[in-house]
Structure formats: C-alpha cells, structure tokens
C-alpha cells in the first residue's frame, strides 16, 4: 500500500488480517526502498572489497519529507558503527528522533547545510529529490534549492574517491533549475542509480515470496540483466 498520509499504512495494517507491505506513507517511511538500497550498498561494497564497518554515508537533499532516507537511516543504524553525514537545506533537515536514534546506536552523525563544506572519504552519496508535493503553500512560495546541493562530477572529483557510490531513489529531477543529482554523471561508473533500480525487482520479489511463504519454492536465481538500445529514444527523437 502506498498512501500520501503519514501513518496511513500502519493504520490499515492494524485493521486487516492480510500481510501489508508499506510502499510509502507520505513523508513517513519507504521500507522496501531501504531494503533495495541496502542490498545495493552491500552488493557494490562486495564488488569494491569494502565493508560496512566505518563506512562514510552522506545523505543530501530533502531529508525532512524524503521518506526513503528515513527508512534507510534506520536500517543502516542496525549495522556496524558508521559515519553518517546529513546535508540538508534549512527547514528540510532529517527529523530529530531519527538523528537521536542513530546516535544512540553508536554511529557518528553530523549535520551540515551545504555540500560546499569540506568532505572527505565519502563511500556513498545518497541524494534525494525535493518533495515539493509535501510542502505547505507558504514553504513553496519562492523555494528553490541552491546549486550548493547539486551532486555533480566536480563535487565527486573534488571531494570523493574513485570508488564512491552515487545513489538516488528516483525519480531524479533533471531540470537544471532543480539542482538535483546532475546529469553530467550519466555514464560515470560511480553513478549506481540504474543498478540500484534494477535491484528493486529481486528485492521486492523476495519480500513477496517471504510474506507469501513460498521462498523455499524459488528455483531460479538472479542472472545479469541484458540491456538493449531501443530503436526510439523518446520525445527528442525526430522520428517521433
Ligand atoms: N520514489 C521515492 C518515493 O516513493 C522517492 C521520491 O519520490 O522522491 O518516495
């Protein structure tokens, strides 16, 4: 179930006998996304020969209304102590109860308000879209995200390593004025967003299989996706 109101899925789950999967409750949580994000980090770290203990995860963007980061930070907090840096514009910071929870579990957590400040040794940069649909009319008035929050090639080259992962739950707002994750990283192997979204399929299949108690009946395991180049590329294609 996916619903625009905070707490709506838990309310529904409490009133039914069937298993309920939270597909996103307003600005609350998005646990299946957190599982696929965690699976992506684990898989990519394995490929890179890295471990979770001591990893530096930087989350940026709309940390207040972006539900994926709420679920991901809770999930990460269950693992070996990490360093977590939260970078949000004023008014869109991570809710205090989540910051406190993560700190209480022994992680090193820091909050900043610009990507322009010095960062080093970042293993994962997790960016999120500004969730304008959750803004009050007052907040929307004149709001625009400054260029300081854009994760682009210059930021990665200057502040991060050659094996830093760049993640985003999508959709990415690619309009230049949105200052979301920059398209200049398309084609850069550090951009993990398409591998991340591919991982959503087996992870959600696993959630269904587990809840339906058929996980022991699954015979076929994962095999790599083979992408093909489509003959038409979309609205910019002159043939359309
Ligand atoms: N797709 C994610 C969600 O459902 C992220 C987003 O919409 O920005 O929350």
């Amino acid at each position: 179930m996916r619903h625009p109101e905070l707490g709506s899925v838990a309310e529904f789950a409490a009133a039914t006998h069937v298993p309920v999967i939270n597909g996103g409750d307003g600005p609350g949580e998005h646990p299946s996304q957190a599982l696929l994000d965690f699976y992506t980090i684990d898989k990519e770290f394995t490929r890179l020969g890295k471990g979770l203990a001591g990893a530096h995860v930087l989350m940026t963007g709309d940390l207040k209304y972006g539900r994926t980061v709420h679920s991901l930070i809770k999930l990460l907090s269950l693992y070996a102590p990490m360093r977590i840096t939260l970078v949000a514009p004023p008014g869109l910071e991570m809710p205090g109860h989540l910051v406190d929870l993560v700190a209480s579990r022994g992680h090193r957590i820091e909050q900043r308000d610009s990507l322009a400040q010095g960062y080093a040794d970042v293993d994962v940069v997790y960016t999120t879209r500004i969730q304008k649909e959750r803004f009050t009319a007052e907040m929307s008035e004149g709001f625009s995200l400054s260029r300081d929050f854009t994760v682009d090639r210059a930021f990665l080259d200057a502040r991060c390593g050659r094996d830093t992962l760049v993640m985003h739950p999508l959709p990415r707002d690619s309009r230049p004025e949105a200052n979301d994750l920059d398209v200049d990283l398309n084609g850069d192997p550090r951009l993990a967003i398409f591998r991340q979204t591919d991982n959503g399929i087996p992870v959600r299949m696993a959630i269904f299989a587990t809840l339906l108690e058929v996980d022991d009946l699954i015979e076929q395991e994962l095999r790599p996706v083979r992408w093909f180049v489509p003959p038409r590329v979309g609205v910019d294609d002159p043939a359309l």
Side-chain angles (χ1 to χ4, degrees), residues 3-9 11 25-29:
H3 192 282
E5 273 170 42
L6 178 74
S8 51
V9 181
E11 188 184 334
D25 63 314
E29 297 248 9

Side-chain angles (χ1 to χ4, degrees), residues 130-142:
I130 298 297
Q131 313 271 311
K132 274 208 168 164
E133 70 273 30
R134 308 195 204 291
F135 279 23
T136 58
E138 211 177 41
M139 288 177 77
S140 298
E141 185 86 15

Side-chain angles (χ1 to χ4, degrees), residues 108-230:
R108 182 172 154 202
I109 187 156
E110 268 174 61
Q111 300 196 75
R112 308 262 189 105
D113 62 6
S114 166
L115 279 180
Q117 298 157 8
Y119 295 98
D121 307 323
V122 181
D123 296 296
V124 179
V125 178
Y126 192 102
T127 60
T128 61
R129 167 182 78 85
I130 298 297
Q131 313 271 311
K132 274 208 168 164
E133 70 273 30
R134 308 195 204 291
F135 279 23
T136 58
E138 211 177 41
M139 288 177 77
S140 298
E141 185 86 15
F143 179 89
S144 71
L145 188 64
S146 100
R147 180 81 201 161
D148 279 355
F149 287 92
T150 301
V151 172
D152 57 9
R153 183 171 295 203
F155 172 78
L156 275 201
D157 289 345
R159 311 263 183 217
C160 303
R162 290 161 60 94
D163 59 2
T164 299
L165 296 176
V166 180
M167 298 175 64
H168 192 299
L170 302 182
R172 167 176 63 171
D173 190 339
S174 306
R175 292 170 296 180
E177 69 276 15
N179 292 326
D180 197 339
L181 176 61
D182 205 286
V183 292
D184 74 351
L185 285 168
N186 290 0
D188 188 309
R190 292 171 290 186
L191 188 75
I193 61 175
F194 303 117
R195 303 193 290 277
Q196 181 184 358
T197 201
D198 285 349
N199 288 337
I201 296 170
V203 168
R204 265 102 183 211
M205 288 168 79
I207 295 171
F208 282 123
T210 305
L211 284 181
L212 297 171
E213 296 178 6
V214 295
D215 41 322
D216 57 337
L217 300 179
I218 293 170
E219 285 170 6
Q220 190 151 357
E221 302 213 343
L222 278 181
R223 61 195 153 83
V225 176
R226 257 182 249 111
W227 292 110
F228 67 98
V229 179

